Amino acid sequence: MKKFLAPLLVATALMAGHTSSQATLYTTSYGVDAGSPSSCDDCFSGQWNFSGTGQSINYFGTTYTGAFVGSNGYLTFGAGASNYSPEPLNTQAIAPMIAALFTDLDSRSDAASNVYIDTSVAGQIVATWVDMGHFSQNYSVRSTFQIVLRSDQYAIASGEGQIGFFYDSVTDGSSASAGFGDGLAAINDGEVAFQSQAAASLLSNSAARWYNLNNGVAVVANTVPEPSSLALLGLGLVGLAAARRRRAK
């Protein structure tokens, strides 16, 4: 029986580990300038609250109504942060944090590099870092990326999630970390570190990443199979059906 299941198992495994390869930002409606992070080195602004009535998020056991945005590629909860050394997200003890590109970014005296916040949709915060340079005022490299954060009350569409990471062009080769964690040095359930102290440019134009929170802690990646994956699964099912018919004969 195992040999008949092989095509299906292979197709299913490929689909389960596959994310959409569409490399783009979630939205190009950036919202408003985030203020100081658009022209600074190592700063933050906020708190930026979810719009709408009664919107909040349970993040690792604590309820928040919004987040702070840091110039160095992350959102934090409870307080702002200006740290620039990219620690792994599952062991950093700076603050409860979501980081798309935690590295020493720079936006001083440069009109092209800016940070934006969009809270126009109830229960959703979109933070966008556009054409950020690197310390110290190195604008020969640029990084554009985005974090999407949804409240617990937000009605999540199929194929999306509560925390989203999106990457456009990233040409910065400096060390960077990405993921999210509870702000405690110990590695705990629900923390995600999908990049730790590796070249930021490795995330350039990478696939969108969606994650769901379950009571603020348990994290599940929300993958969306592409048509090619669905076709592969279909071939596996066809192969299984054909094998069963041959066996029956």
Side-chain angles (χ1 to χ4, degrees):
M1 183 64 180
K2 289 182 180 179
K3 66 179 180 180
F4 300 130
L5 287 174
L8 177 60
L9 293 176
V10 170
T12 304
L14 287 172
M15 187 182 73
H18 194 80
T19 56
S20 172
S21 64
Q22 184 180 11
T24 186
L25 299 180
Y26 177 73
T27 178
T28 54
S29 297
Y30 298 152
V32 301
D33 192 297
S36 54
S38 288
S39 184
C40 79
D41 175 46
D42 308 332
C43 69
F44 64 87
S45 69
Q47 171 172 305
W48 297 90
N49 291 322
F50 293 110
S51 64
T53 303
Q55 304 290 325
S56 63
I57 184 172
N58 176 356
Y59 190 74
F60 290 98
T62 300
T63 298
Y64 303 97
T65 57
F68 295 80
V69 59
S71 64
N72 288 323
Y74 49 71
L75 300 177
T76 56
F77 296 93
S82 57
N83 299 64
Y84 59 86
S85 182
E87 302 175 37
L89 268 295
N90 57 351
T91 58
Q92 62 80 26
I94 299 165
M97 178 187 289
I98 302 172
L101 202 74
F102 182 5
T103 189
D104 196 358
L105 298 172
D106 204 334
S107 58
R108 291 174 292 173
S109 304
D110 180 67
S113 53
N114 294 284
V115 182
Y116 299 93
I117 293 289
D118 183 6
T119 61
S120 61
V121 176
Q124 176 175 275
I125 297 172
V126 180
T128 309
W129 291 257
V130 177
D131 284 335
M132 298 293 284
H134 196 90
F135 182 83
S136 170
Q137 299 188 66
N138 177 7
Y139 300 112
S140 66
V141 296
R142 298 284 182 176
S143 299
T144 299
F145 54 93
Q146 199 166 64
I147 294 174
V148 178
L149 176 66
R150 272 84 179 262
S151 70
D152 293 337
Q153 295 76 32
Y154 186 94
I156 298 172
S158 176
E160 297 185 356
Q162 195 167 4
I163 300 173
F165 299 86
F166 295 82
Y167 297 91
D168 198 64
S169 176
V170 178
T171 61
D172 190 344
S174 302
S175 176
S177 295
F180 52 98
D182 57 13
L184 302 175
I187 297 176
N188 296 310
D189 290 342
E191 297 186 290
V192 170
F194 58 82
Q195 175 156 315
S196 296
Q197 299 171 328
S201 55
L202 291 174
L203 291 170
S204 182
N205 294 303
S206 61
R209 290 172 168 84
W210 282 113
Y211 296 88
N212 285 325
L213 299 179
N214 182 4
N215 293 321
V217 178
V219 181
V220 179
N222 192 349
T223 59
V224 183
E226 291 187 337
S228 58
S229 299
L230 292 173
L232 185 58
L233 178 58
L235 289 173
L237 291 170
V238 170
L240 177 60
R244 284 179 171 172
R245 284 197 298 271
R246 285 196 299 271
R247 190 181 183 194
K249 289 180 180 179

